[in-house]
Amino acid sequence: MEAAEAVGRLSDTQRLKAACHYTVAGLCEEVSQDKEIQFSKQTIAAISEITFRQCEIFAKDLEMFARHAKRSTINLEDVKLLARRSKSLLKYVTEKSEEIALNSLEEKEKRKKKSGSRKGRRASDEQEEHVVAESDDSNMA
Amino acid sequence: MKNTVPRSTVKKLLSKHKPHLRMRANTDLLVHLNVLLFLHRLAIETRTNAIAEKSKTIKSRHVRSSAKVVLKKSRG
């Protein structure tokens, strides 16, 4: 049984590595088209191996940060802390996190609106909501 | 090397950088330990630099080039 489990875990890591390799190859393809430089297969394999190892370090660090804050869930603040060593990376991560926070806020508001209309208030309320939806559409366009 | 820790100096330096931060008891000793380890790393790196240049004495340029590397490595 234990041996079978070990084999299963091995194939799991191999599958993860293969997925990582595939993604790295796609990103390298983009860069090579952008810069007009060819990547050898060994280079791509080395980059994917580095990425895999780095992920282990990231995972351990994130776990430690969350535990330090007495949480068991890793959140955006932990990820920002992970990127603190490089100023440019920290700036980039902070911008992205603000973007994500904005998006999630908008989604929440949409959900609220939907649940409100589902409950079926007065007709005038619904009309108002229609107007709001239309104005939203015009904003999108 | 003398074995006493300059505790008040460590505290003073830290409070100079971050006046609003307070330290718990004996944290300054751990800070001092970190300083000693940093100096050890810096010394080893500088010596390797000097040996790589076939220089018998450690010169200021060796310290400068190794300080750049070691300071980057010891970021928290």
Side-chain angles (χ1 to χ4, degrees), chain A residues 56-130:
Chain A
E56 287 176 14
I57 299 169
F58 280 169
K60 272 179 197 161
D61 279 354
L62 286 170
E63 194 192 344
M64 297 287 262
F65 294 152
R67 206 191 291 161
H68 179 72
K70 287 170 188 150
R71 278 186 271 107
S72 56
T73 321
I74 292 163
N75 62 16
L76 272 173
E77 294 300 310
D78 298 334
V79 181
K80 274 190 219 165
L81 206 55
L82 189 71
R84 78 205 171 278
R85 280 185 225 182
S86 147
K87 239 181 215 171
S88 53
L89 186 62
L90 183 60
K91 202 178 154 197
Y92 182 75
V93 169
T94 315
E95 275 172 16
K96 284 283 165 193
S97 75
E98 275 164 11
E99 226 172 77
I100 289 169
L102 266 180
N103 277 343
S104 65
L105 259 182
E106 277 176 11
E107 290 223 335
K108 261 185 195 171
E109 277 179 11
K110 271 184 193 170
R111 247 178 247 163
K112 265 187 191 171
K113 267 184 194 170
K114 271 183 188 171
S115 64
S117 65
R118 240 180 249 157
K119 275 171 191 169
R121 301 258 174 79
R122 283 173 298 170
S124 59
D125 270 359
E126 270 180 25
Q127 269 182 347
E128 266 181 24
E129 269 176 9
H130 272 300

Side-chain angles (χ1 to χ4, degrees), chain B residues 6-70:
Chain B
R7 297 185 71 158
S8 63
T9 316
V10 170
K11 278 179 193 165
K12 223 188 292 164
L13 279 173
L14 282 170
S15 65
K16 212 178 193 179
H17 273 271
K18 301 269 172 190
H20 58 285
L21 276 186
R22 297 181 58 195
M23 241 196 319
R24 274 209 184 160
N26 296 334
T27 313
D28 51 336
L29 292 178
L30 283 177
V31 173
H32 188 250
L33 175 62
N34 260 334
V35 171
L36 290 181
L37 288 171
F38 169 78
L39 283 178
H40 190 242
R41 260 176 284 159
L42 182 67
I44 286 174
E45 186 76 25
T46 313
R47 188 185 58 183
T48 22
N49 257 354
I51 289 168
E53 248 185 60
K54 287 180 182 167
S55 155
K56 289 250 178 177
T57 50
I58 288 172
K59 300 203 171 102
S60 63
R61 63 166 184 277
H62 303 141
V63 183
R64 281 205 187 183
S65 58
S66 62
K68 218 176 181 179
V69 177
V70 178

Side-chain angles (χ1 to χ4, degrees), chain A residues 131-141:
Chain A
V131 171
V132 169
E134 273 167 22
S135 66
D136 271 358
D137 282 349
S138 62
N139 278 343
M140 295 275 268

